[in-house]
Amino acid sequence: MSLSMYDAAVPGMVRSLKNLDAILDKAVAYSERKKVDPTVLVGSRLAIDMLPFSTQIHRATETARGGAARLAQVEIPSFPDEDKTVADLKNRLARTIAFLESVPTEKFTGAEDRTVTQKLAGKDMTFPAKQYLFGFLIPNFYFHVTTAYAILRHNGVEIGKIDFLRGI
Amino acid sequence: MSLSMYDAAVPGMVRSLKNLDAILDKAVAYSERKKVDPTVLVGSRLAIDMLPFSTQIHRATETARGGAARLAQVEIPSFPDEDKTVADLKNRLARTIAFLESVPTEKFTGAEDRTVTQKLAGKDMTFPAKQYLFGFLIPNFYFHVTTAYAILRHNGVEIGKIDFLRGI
């Protein structure tokens, strides 16, 4: 049994996006109990010059779908930039999960020998695929998922580490 | 060129721990400028029932060294539980990096076919090594590193995404 780029990239992100969807449901239930419009949480930040919850979800899903597509050399699906409501965010999560699950495993065969080009800070950068996956894609994905979690946690939503790690 | 469990596990964590060390230096400089004892930041949290900065570093390093040792089937080094000061935390980061860099790459050969046992929530759990690496070790590691970053960011330390991703 060998290790593939698919193993390293896809199942963990799918699991994590599903957990994020469940966490979002808890955030909505919390908002309702507090009699606060859930869009308040969607717009919340940890610092005034940090991205709000909605954009954390946007970046996590963008990193996941763009990263998987680049590694598998398939077209990156384009999603409308409309994360205004909880329903929009749940829709974005569902479409990202469906895309990740739709890419055939075989498309990742040999991906460890590819190079990947992605615009970072406005510049096209090219990386060996392994460096891209472990140096950018995975850390950046979990950065945004964890920050989304942290914003909710900071606002009092009752979630714990198990909500983040569920489905290990 | 194939993909190894070493590629997937070690270089990314080493890079991230080095970045965390540099972030800690920025946190100290910020505290000095604000004339606040840096141990205030070390004890800061995003919510009263969430772990403080020091424990986020503790968990990140524990996850890294325990995870790498379990995958490589080498002894887990034990570190004293004394994260009280910035110096303690920097020492912990340095020792973890040195340990990760000391484990011979060959020890990871064939690790994808091993099983790994780790106590989680007080119970010994056994996982296929790939599931352990991508379902627990990596997400949990980045969870604690990102939360440490978020605690500093929330307190006004001037750091950006590049401080988290440096060395890609």
Side-chain angles (χ1 to χ4, degrees):
Chain A
M1 195 169 63
S2 70
L3 181 62
S4 72
M5 294 289 272
Y6 177 87
D7 294 334
V10 179
M13 294 200 297
V14 168
R15 185 272 302 255
S16 191
L17 293 171
K18 287 180 177 173
N19 287 348
L20 210 42
D21 185 68
I23 285 171
L24 203 43
D25 290 338
K26 290 195 175 184
V28 171
Y30 175 77
S31 300
E32 285 169 359
R33 214 161 54 247
K34 290 280 186 183
K35 302 192 195 321
V36 172
D37 188 322
T39 54
V40 174
L41 275 180
V42 167
S44 291
R45 303 166 189 255
L46 288 176
I48 56 164
D49 56 350
M50 221 175 148
L51 299 169
F53 180 82
S54 57
T55 313
Q56 302 296 342
I57 303 287
H58 188 173
R59 294 290 167 88
T61 53
E62 184 177 77
T63 299
R65 75 178 196 278
R70 287 185 190 93
L71 290 171
Q73 298 184 332
V74 301
E75 203 183 333
I76 303 174
S78 99
F79 289 10
D81 233 343
E82 56 175 27
D83 305 328
K84 297 283 179 283
T85 67
V86 169
D88 293 337
L89 294 175
K90 284 182 73 78
N91 183 260
R92 174 175 289 270
L93 289 168
R95 292 175 64 187
T96 307
I97 293 164
F99 169 70
L100 292 176
E101 289 180 335
S102 77
V103 183
T105 317
E106 314 83 72
K107 292 278 187 191
F108 289 87
T109 308
E112 57 273 25
D113 298 318
R114 296 175 185 157
T115 58
V116 171
T117 299
Q118 169 157 2
K119 216 180 265 301
L120 285 180
K123 264 205 319 225
D124 269 343
M125 311 257 295
T126 298
F127 304 95
K130 285 200 275 192
Q131 196 180 328
Y132 175 75
L133 175 56
F134 299 113
F136 171 75
L137 175 52
I138 290 178
N140 198 53
F141 174 76
Y142 286 117
F143 179 91
H144 291 292
V145 174
T146 304
T147 304
Y149 172 98
I151 291 171
L152 298 182
R153 199 67 171 67
H154 177 62
N155 278 281
V157 179
E158 287 118 357
I159 47 179
K161 173 74 84 64
I162 187 62
D163 293 291
F164 177 82
L165 283 179
R166 197 179 302 283
I168 180 177
Chain B
M1 195 170 62
S2 71
L3 182 62
S4 72
M5 294 289 272
Y6 177 88
D7 293 334
V10 179
M13 294 202 297
V14 168
R15 185 272 302 253
S16 191
L17 293 171
K18 287 180 178 173
N19 287 348
L20 210 43
D21 185 68
I23 285 171
L24 204 42
D25 289 340
K26 291 195 176 186
V28 171
Y30 175 76
S31 301
E32 284 169 358
R33 213 161 56 248
K34 289 279 186 183
K35 302 192 195 318
V36 172
D37 188 322
T39 53
V40 173
L41 274 181
V42 167
S44 290
R45 304 166 189 255
L46 288 176
I48 56 163
D49 57 349
M50 220 173 149
L51 298 170
F53 179 83
S54 56
T55 314
Q56 302 296 342
I57 304 288
H58 188 172
R59 294 289 168 88
T61 54
E62 184 176 77
T63 300
R65 76 179 196 278
R70 287 183 191 94
L71 290 171
Q73 298 184 331
V74 300
E75 203 183 330
I76 303 174
S78 100
F79 289 9
D81 233 344
E82 56 175 28
D83 305 327
K84 297 283 179 283
T85 68
V86 169
D88 294 337
L89 294 175
K90 286 183 72 78
N91 184 260
R92 175 175 289 270
L93 289 168
R95 293 174 65 185
T96 307
I97 293 164
F99 170 69
L100 292 176
E101 289 179 336
S102 77
V103 183
T105 317
E106 314 83 72
K107 292 278 188 189
F108 290 86
T109 308
E112 58 272 26
D113 298 318
R114 296 176 185 156
T115 58
V116 171
T117 300
Q118 169 157 2
K119 213 179 264 304
L120 285 180
K123 261 204 322 221
D124 268 343
M125 311 257 298
T126 298
F127 305 96
K130 285 200 273 192
Q131 196 179 327
Y132 175 76
L133 174 56
F134 299 113
F136 171 74
L137 174 52
I138 289 177
N140 198 53
F141 174 77
Y142 286 116
F143 179 91
H144 290 293
V145 174
T146 304
T147 304
Y149 171 99
I151 291 170
L152 298 182
R153 198 68 171 68
H154 177 62
N155 278 281
V157 179
E158 287 118 0
I159 46 179
K161 173 73 84 62
I162 185 63
D163 293 293
F164 176 82
L165 283 180
R166 196 180 303 284
I168 178 175

